[in-house]
Amino acid sequence: MTAKPFSFRLIATDGAARRGEIETPHGLVRTPAFMPVGTQATVKAMYPDQVRALGSDVVLGNTYHLMLRPTAERVARLGGLHRFMNWPHTILTDSGGFQVMSLAQLRKLDETGVRFQSHIDGQKYHLTPERSIEIQGLLGSDIQMQLDECIGLPAPREEAQRAMELSLRWAERSRAQFEAMGGPAKGQGLYGIVQGGDVAELRIASARALADMPFEGYSVGGLAVGEPQDVMLKMLEITTPAMPVDKPRYLMGVGTPEDILESVTRGIDQFDCVMPTRAGRHGLAYTRYGKVNLKNARHADDPRPLDETSDCPAARDYSRAYLHHLVKAGEGLAAMLLTWNNLAYYQHLMQGMRDAIEAGTFQDFRAAVKADWV
Ligand SMILES: Nc1nc2cc3nc(NCCc4ccc(C(=O)O)cc4)[nH]c3cc2c(=O)[nH]1
């Protein structure tokens, strides 16, 4: 029995901003989409039902973390990642390369893949394009990523070119493994990842080479690695026009509300970032008025909620004084309420963008949102 094929349809555009819909074996993904990060099979400090109720259509899992613990084979024996984490909607997984380079010890990258030792117990691994796709298949991921090499910025042009060309060879190998495992017939999608550092012609060459391969979607990788925002946005202005117009575009690891607004303006459809969840665990609230750092003593006597106009209880029903108290006292409820608030804000922003693109009022929406940020 073959499942419905993975599909993307463009519903409306407003300038370079796009409103679309992806269909995967686990449901619809409304784009532009923000995808909460659930690295170790959980969106930290949130129940799955809560994440869903905020309007999240996709959560992220990660090959690097899950291959180490509890292992992809164990998750597969237990029915796959959807069953394991009780998330019956779409799951996107990263391929692990980025996390190996940022988390693992004793990393050695060569043509075959990357050898590393686990940051948990020092055990040795060899992650290849084929093994990464095998792991993502064992997890049952609906949207999978090729294995790639992401370099930091700034970088010498030769380094950006070497990593981009290696990533293209790994794209071919990842695609071959994905097809050998019957990914397309299961309705799953595999995304190619555009690399090329901050070098325009490398970005265009990477995008064009990947467009000639039959990927279901395309990621813009190699950004949000410490470069200034204007460099990231410039790379998008160069890269997205060279990407297929009829396939989803996913900007990996981005970002702040402003990053997302400006990247939707430049033709991006999917986003993931640890910021809203990580900030929530560190006492930082995202609100329609901008960021509020609840560690700051100025909130100690403030009876107002974070946002009385919000329909999220975390933003509406608790005073800043109380949230400040919870943060200072190190109470677990602080992370729960602030993560809830932050994801609610991000998903409310995404819904606003989706509606504005459909209505042809995206530029007005963008200006109004930014005007509210003090
Ligand atoms: N396969 C692959 N995955 C990626 C993940 C990324 N994630 C980022 N940026 C994350 C930025 C980031 C990191 C940490 C925090 C925080 O702690 O708040 C916030 C943002 N850039 C990324 C680039 C790639 C890439 O080329 N290839």
Side-chain angles (χ1 to χ4, degrees), residues 261 362-372:
L261 206 54
F362 181 71
Q363 287 311 327
D364 297 343
F365 176 80
R366 175 179 171 216
V369 166
K370 295 178 88 164
D372 263 356

Side-chain angles (χ1 to χ4, degrees), residues 308-321:
E308 63 288 340
T309 71
S310 170
D311 62 2
C312 173
R316 189 193 54 209
D317 300 341
Y318 300 85
S319 70
R320 293 171 189 220

